Amino acid sequence: MKIATWNVNSLKVRLPHLLQWLDTNPVDVLCIQETKLEDEKFPLMEINAAGYQVAFSGQKTYNGVAILSRLPITDVVRNNPRFEDAQQRILAATIEGVRFICAYVPNGQSVDSDKYVYKLAWLASLREWLAEELRTHADQGLAILGDYNIAPEDRDVYDPAGWGEEVLCSPKERAALTALVELGLTDSFRMFEQPEKSYSWWDYRQLGYQKNKGLRIDHILLSESLAKRCSACAIDRMPRKWTQPSDHAPVIATLD
DNA sequence: ATGGCAAGTGATACTTGA
């Protein structure tokens, strides 16, 4: 089973890229973020025609998440039931017995902003809910895939000194991510040897991609039973090279 | 040091992203 996550930065703009990518990468499950579409505008027909069922939870202009699957999807839940949130950032579903959570973690804007406070509260509540979900799904496993908006370590940042303790790299955010991992999750990317300077997002400005000025902020975290099944994880930089790309690249993991 | 770029909204300059 191949599973993947991709922040598409507007599904309206990126639908052709999504379909093209799935054509050459027919993963079984794909979690997407930042669809930026109300549910009535979701391109259901096009995605169905590509061979995927899909659950989605969107809103106008901002946020929005979806889970695409070649296999039947059941038990869809929108949002963290413990966290009252007008923003559509979480979608959970069961596929082949595995619990999948698609997450678009708040950006946080800057460490002195209200959005940063919201981000930390959001993550703390996610941890509480995940602890419960992990117990419920201990046997067949749980995978939480998405845009975490957190670079876990300095090696996940192109210029750690320059970024310092700015948002996406701050100690409190990293501690919040560590607290998720300590529930019994594994960053699938770091289970394997990887190229140095591996990133999943590059700034549109200043030739960020061409200069590989990026961050690794998109992650696939696996519960214990799924980590045992995981035989590969990689970032696919290809679609970041296409014309009018998303600023994020997909991350793919293989479960045996 | 600052702003650079992209997308959405709505028709203009703005907000947000990371």
Side-chain angles (χ1 to χ4, degrees):
Chain A
M1 186 182 215
K2 289 206 176 203
I3 66 174
T5 180
W6 192 9
N7 179 325
V8 295
N9 184 19
S10 170
L11 185 56
K12 183 183 168 192
V13 174
R14 228 67 67 191
L15 181 63
H17 280 200
L18 180 77
L19 298 175
Q20 190 180 339
W21 189 78
L22 287 172
D23 196 45
T24 44
N25 300 274
V27 295
D28 297 286
V29 177
L30 173 62
C31 294
I32 60 174
Q33 303 85 38
E34 283 208 88
T35 55
K36 300 186 181 179
L37 287 176
E38 292 166 295
D39 289 348
E40 40 289 12
K41 295 188 176 171
F42 193 89
L44 183 58
M45 305 278 248
E46 291 88 338
I47 286 173
N48 286 163
Y52 286 85
Q53 306 186 30
V54 61
F56 48 92
S57 176
Q59 67 182 90
K60 197 176 179 182
T61 313
Y62 303 117
N63 311 306
V65 286
I67 300 176
L68 284 65
S69 173
R70 292 199 163 276
L71 304 157
I73 300 176
T74 62
D75 303 298
V76 175
V77 171
R78 290 178 176 228
N79 283 335
N80 170 1
R82 293 168 168 265
F83 191 82
E84 189 68 39
D85 197 353
Q87 304 186 22
Q88 301 304 304
R89 298 179 171 277
I90 291 261
L91 194 60
T94 299
I95 300 162
E96 290 278 279
V98 175
R99 193 64 173 163
F100 286 91
I101 298 175
C102 177
Y104 176 44
V105 177
N107 169 278
Q109 197 164 63
S110 66
V111 294
D112 58 1
S113 73
D114 292 345
K115 294 194 177 76
Y116 184 77
V117 175
Y118 164 71
K119 180 178 193 173
L120 294 178
W122 193 97
L123 285 163
S125 181
L126 174 63
R127 184 186 181 281
E128 297 308 307
W129 178 52
L130 262 186
E132 211 175 278
E133 288 286 291
L134 280 163
R135 281 194 291 274
T136 309
H137 300 280
D139 290 345
Q140 291 189 272
L142 180 151
I144 170 162
L145 308 86
D147 176 358
Y148 287 72
N149 271 316
I150 302 171
E153 300 175 77
D154 281 355
R155 63 175 164 163
D156 301 310
V157 181
Y158 74 93
D159 177 14
W163 278 80
E165 299 190 350
E166 292 296 318
V167 74
L168 312 192
C169 301
S170 75
K172 283 181 180 172
E173 291 165 85
R174 286 179 169 174
L177 180 56
T178 301
L180 299 185
V181 167
E182 284 175 349
L183 293 172
L185 294 164
T186 302
D187 178 355
S188 54
F189 190 75
R190 292 299 181 201
M191 292 175 65
F192 308 98
E193 199 167 329
Q194 300 290 357
E196 278 185 45
K197 305 185 194 305
S198 285
Y199 308 124
S200 65
W201 168 87
W202 300 263
D203 202 307
Y204 283 123
R205 299 165 291 190
Q206 291 187 304
L207 301 171
Y209 180 73
Q210 291 84 338
K211 295 178 179 172
N212 198 28
K213 292 169 114 176
L215 304 175
R216 192 176 70 90
I217 54 177
D218 299 271
H219 311 299
I220 298 176
L221 302 186
L222 301 174
S223 69
E224 203 174 328
S225 56
L226 293 186
K228 284 181 190 156
R229 292 172 54 188
C230 185
S231 59
C233 182
I235 296 166
D236 181 11
R237 294 166 54 131
M238 188 75 81
R240 188 63 178 79
K241 300 173 187 166
W242 295 344
T243 305
Q244 201 181 9
S246 167
D247 43 359
H248 294 253
V251 185
I252 314 170
T254 306
L255 305 177
D256 295 331

